[in-house]
Amino acid sequence: MHDDRHLVEGRLERAMRQFVRPAQYRDKVPLSLSVWHAPGEPVPVAEALAGTYAPFEPGTAWGRPWSTSWFRLSGQVPEAWAGRHVEVVVDPGFSGDGPGFQAEGLLYDASGVPLKGIHPRNRHLTVAERAAGGEPVHLLLEAAANPAVLRDFEPTFLGDVRTAGDRPLYRFRSADLAVLDENVWHLVLDVEVLTELMHELDPDRARRHEILRALERMLDALDLHDVPGTAAAARAELAEVLARPAHASAHRVSAAGHAHIDSAWLWPLRETVRKASRTFANVTALARDYPELVFACSQAQQYAWVKEHQPHIWERIKKAVADGNWAPVGSMWVESDANMPGGEALARQLVHGKRFFLEELGVETEEIWLPDSFGYTAAFPQLARLAGAKWFLTQKLSWNQTNKMPHHTFWWEGIDGTRVFTHFPPVDTYNSQFHAAELAHAERNFAEKGAASHSLVPFGWGDGGGGPTREMLEKARRLRSLEGSPRVEIEKPGAFFEAAYAEYGERAPVWSGELYLEMHRATYTTQAKTKQGNRRSEHALREAELWCAAAALRDPSYAYPYEDLDRIWKTVLLHQFHDILPGSSIAWVHREARETYARVLTELDGITARAVGRLGRGGPAVLNASPYPRREVVAYDGQLVRVDVDGLGARPLDADATTPHGPGAHAAATVDDGAIVLANEHLTVTVDRDGLLASVRDLDRGGREVLAPGARGNLLQLHPDHPTQYDAWDLDAHYRHTRTDLTEAESVELVEEGPLRVAVRVVRSFGASRITQEYRLAAGSGRLDVLTDVDWQESEKVLKAAFPLDVHAERSAAEIQFGHVHRATHANTGWDAARYEICAHRWLRVAEDGYGVALLNDSTYGHDVTRTPHERGLGTTVRLTLLRAPHSPDPETDLGTHRFTYALLPGAGTGDAVAEGLALNLPLRVAPAPALAPLVSVDDPAVTIESVKLAEDRSGDVVVRLYESRGGRASATLTASFPVAGADETDLLERPLRPAATSDRGLTLDLRPFQILTLRLRPA
């Protein structure tokens, strides 16, 4: 037989494009339009109903960037359309950009009840499935003129309403009443399913040719000048090939409706409120027509927004949950970044998410649902299980640039040994459209073939929202069992996980440690002020909860600020969303984030001050929110003061605190041949004429030199930074090919000469930028602080601070949530080489046997660690990634002034790094207060207290969360400074698991490495 495949396929493509698809809506009448342009930010529908509307004609431009226009649509169903399927079809000027990345709208009825969202792939609203004829139509369209920001990563000022200009973005095309010809519509879907499947089948397979010939017969039966009249006959020619069942061995797909809605990204937070409303209206409307629909939806914050702003849609969601069409998933407040949130914050993501779903919808969610976050901390398996989650899902690892993940269904093992059953859908998208190419890829790509047969496919328009469409549901019906395709079953994600576990759970492989994304490494650094706001807010919340709990225990009349702390926590958790905290959102988002963090910190400072004021009279006293005792120098009343204070306690300032105390306590500075030498009883630090560290000697280890031979420390290095595409996201490896060392100093000046503290100030200028750094060494401290002020005016550059260390380290240890992870310092394998930029929280440590050095920071997450040969062996260079300057999606990313601190800690063990990292991030507070014994304390320094608060149920119980922080086993006793009537171990939601073990001294704790333990203490 002659091969005429391409001729038939070409004939089919033209017939569908020119004749069949246009025939879906053959009869149309335009609706009358009028418009009211909202004068600023979005308004409630009640205000729009009261607006003054002016006549509006199709073809008219509308919509300055980020504005909202309300359109009244009016008309009447023609009598001649009686008995036919009538719809309103709206096109406010959709462009080629996909749903969620341009104009969007929500249709309301005449009384203001929301009906359905519209977007480029979902433009209709059904007026009547069988019209009576003559029905009036009165609708209100809330149309958002959202600009398409991300165009080839070119710089644009469209990303902030203040800089976007006033030029209208869209031209309103049409708003019609139209008759949907259901035979033609179904024919289109039949053809699409078969054509897509045909193209995925190998040309030598008979099934491909059977489909081709059926499509050819369909074309022969179709009169292209009377498509509606011949569509039924054309469909009949396809019935047999559509009825062929799938093979018994076909891959099985559990399909869950989905609409990934970034809580902020290329739009501000306020727009996400509306995106969620549009999408959720679509889904609840779709469920009425397709009872098999299951919509998996995460992010409790978005539910809360809809509950507040769209009560009608909220009621429809509750009904859909009750009816089984809606599956709350994810267990988290938002789909957060999974690298940078602190340990307690990540726990609270789960606490607030789980609690919302339980209290508002009666659902105990059982999975972590993070398809799009940029890598996943090795602390997650334990946190998931402690929150009552059984499953974990991610999709993002399919973006790896170097190494392909070897598993799709596996056990993920965390740093403490906890495992969680995990699925990584082989379809490699969380926005499937049920295209045959996607399903075929899922089957071919599935790593567990032969051992398992089941994978998950989330389907629906996403990122900017949109969700499933009726066309997707129709395709799913055709694909339920179709020869040549995987079997498709729409069901809840939980049903998939149960089936996958039953099939493969006992034999599934194990992946141990972090799920590192080999891409988007710059998200540890971009938008430094957003990251700093997060870090400081996390620690301010820790401090506020501690002192509020102390005040409540000491003063029965004190009202613990439950509502305020709950609200603030949710604000901080929201800003940990995986495009806010990573710095990959538009300028508007980060401008508002900076403003929000400033308000949060101000409010928390007030909450803490009021709580401290209720502790009693006394003082001034120094208060320590760290669980470790501290001996530090602080500024008080215009002078430096030396203080000693227990962990989680308060101690009055000593009368002689302005002088050094302790054996050999001192801090002194000398000038030697242009170099400045800073010294105390632990360190001798030499700052050379260029303002660089020429020598750091550890006096506690026999004067050991910390820096590598011939190298200088705190060397600022500037690299060009031009990622291949994802500007804000990526730090591509080629950035390291070119480097400028910033060695020239404008001034090097001794600014403090002791006896409690010595300091050297160094000023440098480079490009259009200026940096001022102050080295500080305090009496009694083994830590050299580097206080840094930068006026950053660079373009597409990355700034690093390098510390070449005389330490032969095979691996680095970086703090993560509730512990640390080790990463190789070499690049032996592709997996090692791909980790050329890594994330650390408050500290990163490198060590050889018997000696280690840590770098601490108060707001920096990005680091790199390399092996550096020198004249006497092999050293290790640790660099902190301080600032970037990408142009997209924010063209002025990080420009302006920055203030942060990092520190060098020679001779550091893991415990030293933990304690000093906390000290750097929790500055001592001096306030009028009495002496206060630690609220709770633990007698093993390997056990770190993470948080102390009152229980969320307002019982007055005290909740203490702690963990083993050094990677070993710990046996300890916890004591409280208040009488305790009883204690339980609980899950993260403070639900009792078992009674806590007790002895005469207190609660006895036996912890495995990195174990997290939550205790609930009942005050007597």
Side-chain angles (χ1 to χ4, degrees):
M1 185 175 183
H2 296 297
D3 186 357
D4 63 348
R5 286 177 297 143
H6 298 304
L7 291 174
V8 176
E9 290 167 6
R11 176 189 175 196
L12 176 67
E13 189 281 328
R14 182 179 180 186
M16 295 298 294
R17 169 174 45 84
Q18 187 172 341
F19 296 98
V20 181
R21 286 194 175 90
Q24 293 176 92
Y25 290 111
R26 186 174 60 173
D27 298 327
K28 296 181 181 179
V29 295
L31 292 163
S32 298
L33 294 174
S34 58
V35 66
W36 174 68
H37 301 294
E41 284 294 279
V43 300
V45 66
E47 187 173 336
L49 288 169
T52 301
Y53 287 75
F56 186 86
E57 293 296 326
T60 303
W62 70 279
R64 70 184 187 281
W66 304 111
S67 68
T68 301
S69 295
W70 291 79
F71 295 91
R72 290 192 186 276
L73 286 61
S74 301
Q76 186 173 1
V77 177
E79 296 286 353
W81 291 2
R84 303 173 75 181
H85 186 125
V86 179
E87 298 184 342
V88 170
V89 183
V90 181
D91 183 349
F94 292 130
S95 68
D97 298 285
F101 298 92
Q102 55 171 299
E104 299 178 73
L106 180 60
L107 285 164
Y108 296 78
D109 69 14
S111 66
V113 174
L115 301 174
K116 182 176 175 294
I118 62 163
H119 61 68
R121 303 294 187 271
N122 197 345
R123 306 181 183 195
H124 72 280
L125 172 72
T126 298
V127 172
E129 292 186 357
R130 295 291 176 265
E135 298 101 319
V137 175
H138 297 288
L139 298 170
L140 191 62
L141 172 65
E142 179 189 21
N146 298 333
V149 176
L150 207 62
R151 297 283 181 88
D152 298 320
F153 304 98
E154 292 290 330
T156 175
F157 286 94
L158 287 171
D160 195 329
V161 68
R162 297 180 178 181
T163 59
D166 294 323
R167 184 178 64 83
L169 295 174
Y170 301 103
R171 192 170 296 277
F172 203 108
R173 288 198 181 91
S174 59
D176 298 321
L177 278 173
V179 174
L180 175 67
D181 190 302
E182 294 181 75
N183 270 330
V184 177
W185 182 67
H186 280 288
L187 175 62
V188 169
L189 290 161
D190 291 346
V191 171
E192 285 183 355
V193 166
L194 289 170
T195 303
E196 291 167 6
L197 175 59
M198 177 180 69
H199 286 301
E200 289 305 308
L201 298 173
D202 196 276
D204 61 5
R205 288 184 60 178
R207 175 65 167 161
R208 175 170 182 149
H209 295 272
E210 291 168 356
I211 294 172
L212 179 73
R213 296 309 160 193
L215 290 167
E216 186 176 36
R217 292 192 299 273
M218 179 275 298
L219 289 170
D220 293 340
L222 195 63
D223 182 348
L224 295 183
H225 291 284
D226 184 17
V227 172
T230 56
R235 290 194 70 201
E237 296 295 336
L238 302 178
E240 193 275 334
V241 288
L242 280 168
R244 297 269 189 95
H247 294 305
S249 62
H251 185 68
R252 296 179 180 271
V253 164
S254 292
H258 192 234
H260 185 65
I261 305 176
D262 287 317
S263 289
W265 179 29
L266 305 179
W267 45 85
L269 286 167
R270 63 86 157 154
E271 193 57 30
T272 313
V273 178
R274 301 200 294 178
K275 283 178 177 288
S277 298
R278 298 173 196 125
T279 298
F280 296 174
N282 285 351
V283 172
T284 51
L286 192 62
R288 290 195 291 264
D289 298 326
Y290 293 88
E292 72 268 31
L293 173 64
V294 174
F295 180 65
C297 186
S298 65
Q299 304 195 78
Q301 171 68 87
Q302 294 180 9
Y303 289 73
W305 279 332
V306 172
K307 179 186 177 186
E308 177 184 358
H309 295 278
Q310 293 286 5
H312 289 95
I313 299 174
W314 175 244
E315 291 302 316
R316 286 157 56 179
I317 289 171
K318 291 197 293 185
K319 181 179 186 303
V321 171
D323 292 345
N325 297 117
W326 190 294
V329 296
S331 306
M332 297 176 71
W333 190 248
V334 295
E335 289 184 14
S336 75
D337 178 77
N339 287 310
M340 292 175 285
E344 189 61 25
L346 208 51
R348 300 299 177 94
Q349 287 283 357
L350 293 161
V351 167
H352 285 288
K354 292 270 292 188
R355 184 171 287 126
F356 182 92
F357 292 130
L358 273 167
E359 294 176 355
E360 297 291 345
L361 298 170
V363 174
E364 174 93 32
T365 51
E366 294 187 316
E367 67 291 299
I368 310 298
W369 185 277
L370 288 177
D372 193 33
S373 298
F374 309 148
Y376 304 89
T377 171
F380 239 135
Q382 183 179 190
L383 287 168
R385 297 304 295 268
L386 288 173
K390 300 161 60 178
W391 327 115
F392 192 97
L393 178 136
T394 172
Q395 184 64 68
K396 200 66 175 184
L397 298 175
S398 64
W399 288 46
N400 272 9
Q401 291 175 316
T402 306
N403 300 284
K404 180 180 173 63
M405 279 291 293
H407 316 301
H408 285 104
T409 301
F410 57 97
W411 289 99
W412 180 21
E413 181 182 272
I415 53 174
D416 73 309
T418 298
R419 294 177 178 179
V420 61
F421 195 63
T422 298
H423 186 62
F424 163 35
V427 70
D428 285 351
T429 179
Y430 49 78
N431 294 327
S432 172
Q433 312 303 309
F434 283 133
H435 195 288
E438 296 169 340
L439 299 179
H441 176 75
E443 184 168 25
R444 287 193 300 266
N445 189 40
F446 187 48
E448 276 63 55
K449 286 189 292 287
S453 62
H454 209 168
S455 71
L456 181 70
V457 170
F459 69 93
W461 295 104
D463 287 328
T469 64
R470 61 183 179 182
E471 288 78 12
M472 294 175 196
L473 272 296
E474 288 291 341
K475 283 189 171 185
R477 286 177 173 178
R478 291 159 173 80
L479 292 165
R480 186 172 187 184
S481 180
L482 180 62
E483 183 186 353
S485 172
R487 297 176 183 269
V488 173
E489 185 74 31
I490 294 177
E491 58 185 352
K492 292 181 178 180
F496 158 75
F497 275 108
E498 293 285 0
Y501 176 79
E503 178 183 50
Y504 192 47
E506 296 298 323
R507 297 173 290 117
V510 176
W511 180 273
S512 183
E514 68 181 330
L515 294 171
Y516 177 91
L517 179 65
E518 295 175 357
M519 201 175 184
H520 294 357
R521 302 165 182 90
T523 57
Y524 313 145
T525 302
T526 308
Q527 297 286 0
K529 288 185 178 178
T530 299
K531 292 168 173 57
Q532 186 174 74
N534 173 74
R535 177 79 71 86
R536 293 183 178 173
S537 296
E538 287 179 346
H539 288 81
L541 276 161
R542 176 193 193 117
E543 189 175 6
E545 287 185 333
L546 169 67
W547 301 125
C548 288
L553 289 165
R554 288 177 69 93
D555 182 353
S557 68
Y558 172 75
Y560 188 88
Y562 292 100
E563 290 88 355
D564 290 339
L565 291 171
D566 180 82
R567 171 179 46 79
I568 295 170
W569 260 118
K570 288 173 179 174
T571 299
V572 173
L573 298 179
L574 167 60
H575 285 79
Q576 291 176 343
F577 178 76
H578 66 252
D579 278 307
I580 303 179
L581 182 52
S584 46
S585 289
I586 56 174
W588 190 348
V589 172
H590 291 289
R591 170 173 57 81
E592 288 191 333
R594 293 190 293 271
E595 295 165 355
T596 298
Y597 284 129
R599 290 194 299 271
V600 162
L601 290 168
T602 297
E603 186 172 4
L604 286 172
D605 189 62
I607 289 172
T608 297
R610 288 190 292 275
V612 169
R614 301 296 287 270
L615 295 176
R617 296 181 180 275
V622 60
L623 287 82
N624 179 16
S626 166
Y628 292 102
R630 291 156 71 173
R631 171 173 288 183
E632 290 187 15
V633 171
V634 299
Y636 176 71
D637 199 21
Q639 62 181 338
L640 295 179
V641 180
R642 181 75 181 274
V643 297
D644 295 284
V645 60
D646 292 330
L648 303 182
R651 177 174 291 183
L653 291 175
D654 296 332
D656 61 348
T658 57
T659 62
H661 56 90
H666 70 278
T670 58
V671 179
D672 183 9
D673 193 25
I676 302 175
V677 180
L678 310 179
N680 67 6
E681 59 273 35
H682 301 294
L683 299 176
T684 299
V685 177
T686 302
V687 182
D688 67 15
R689 294 172 181 267
D690 294 323
L692 299 173
L693 298 178
S695 172
V696 178
R697 293 197 173 273
D698 184 346
L699 303 181
D700 295 328
R701 281 84 178 173
R704 172 175 174 148
E705 177 58 59
V706 174
L707 301 178
R712 296 189 289 178
N714 194 40
L715 174 62
L716 297 176
Q717 298 176 319
L718 201 63
H719 297 264
D721 185 12
H722 300 281
T724 302
Q725 49 179 341
Y726 288 94
D727 283 27
W729 294 258
D730 285 353
L731 188 65
D732 289 349
H734 62 252
Y735 88 91
R736 296 185 291 183
H737 297 172
T738 307
R739 184 186 82 204
T740 301
D741 291 346
L742 304 179
T743 56
E744 186 173 330
E746 287 184 10
S747 63
V748 180
E749 180 185 6
L750 180 64
V751 292
E752 287 189 85
E753 301 183 39
L756 289 179
R757 190 170 70 195
V758 286
V760 174
R761 182 176 299 138
V762 181
V763 179
R764 307 181 193 280
S765 294
F766 53 94
S769 301
R770 184 178 179 87
I771 183 165
T772 301
Q773 294 195 299
E774 194 169 295
Y775 299 106
R776 283 187 182 176
L777 182 64
S781 175
R783 189 180 91 199
L784 177 68
D785 291 350
V786 186
L787 285 71
T788 304
D789 287 273
V790 188
D791 182 4
W792 179 247
Q793 301 296 334
E794 300 306 296
S795 173
E796 296 179 306
K797 300 286 196 302
V798 58
L799 180 66
K800 296 258 186 177
F803 289 84
L805 305 173
D806 193 12
V807 175
H808 185 138
E810 291 290 321
R811 59 186 187 173
S812 65
E815 187 187 40
I816 63 169
Q817 301 87 347
F818 298 106
H820 59 267
V821 292
H822 292 107
R823 303 180 180 103
T825 60
H826 56 70
N828 282 2
T829 71
W831 298 93
D832 299 326
R835 288 182 171 90
Y836 59 81
E837 183 80 1
I838 57 177
C839 183
H841 282 210
R842 292 169 294 222
W843 57 266
L844 185 146
R845 177 178 177 265
V846 293
E848 59 190 38
D849 186 27
Y851 193 77
V853 178
L855 267 295
L856 317 172
N857 71 83
D858 73 353
S859 56
T860 299
Y861 294 90
H863 297 73
D864 69 74
V865 184
T866 53
R867 297 154 76 86
T868 312
H870 56 72
E871 61 190 34
R872 294 200 295 274
L874 185 66
T876 307
T877 297
V878 179
R879 299 199 302 170
L880 297 92
T881 312
L882 303 179
L883 292 167
R884 297 184 71 232
H887 289 172
S888 174
D890 177 359
E892 296 181 337
T893 301
D894 279 329
L895 297 185
T897 58
H898 300 265
R899 174 171 291 182
F900 48 85
T901 298
Y902 51 91
L904 180 69
L905 185 64
T910 301
D912 301 315
V914 171
E916 290 295 331
L918 280 163
L920 184 63
N921 282 269
L922 289 166
L924 295 173
R925 177 183 290 265
V926 179
L932 183 70
L935 205 60
V936 291
S937 60
V938 180
D939 61 4
D940 186 337
V943 179
T944 299
I945 296 171
E946 178 74 9
S947 65
V948 181
K949 60 187 286 292
L950 292 195
E952 295 296 322
D953 63 6
R954 307 193 182 195
S955 61
D957 291 355
V958 177
V959 173
V960 180
R961 190 150 25 248
L962 47 80
Y963 67 104
E964 196 290 314
S965 60
R966 299 186 182 182
R969 298 186 181 274
S971 295
T973 300
L974 180 142
T975 57
S977 61
F978 55 91
V980 176
D984 291 306
E985 295 181 19
T986 75
D987 66 5
L988 292 185
L989 276 72
E990 303 169 8
R991 299 177 293 197
L993 299 174
R994 63 191 67 85
T998 60
S999 69
D1000 293 341
R1001 296 172 53 226
L1003 304 184
T1004 58
L1005 313 175
D1006 289 298
L1007 278 70
R1008 65 182 181 272
F1010 301 125
Q1011 182 181 352
I1012 304 166
L1013 185 62
T1014 304
L1015 299 168
R1016 182 170 179 142
L1017 314 181
R1018 293 186 295 280

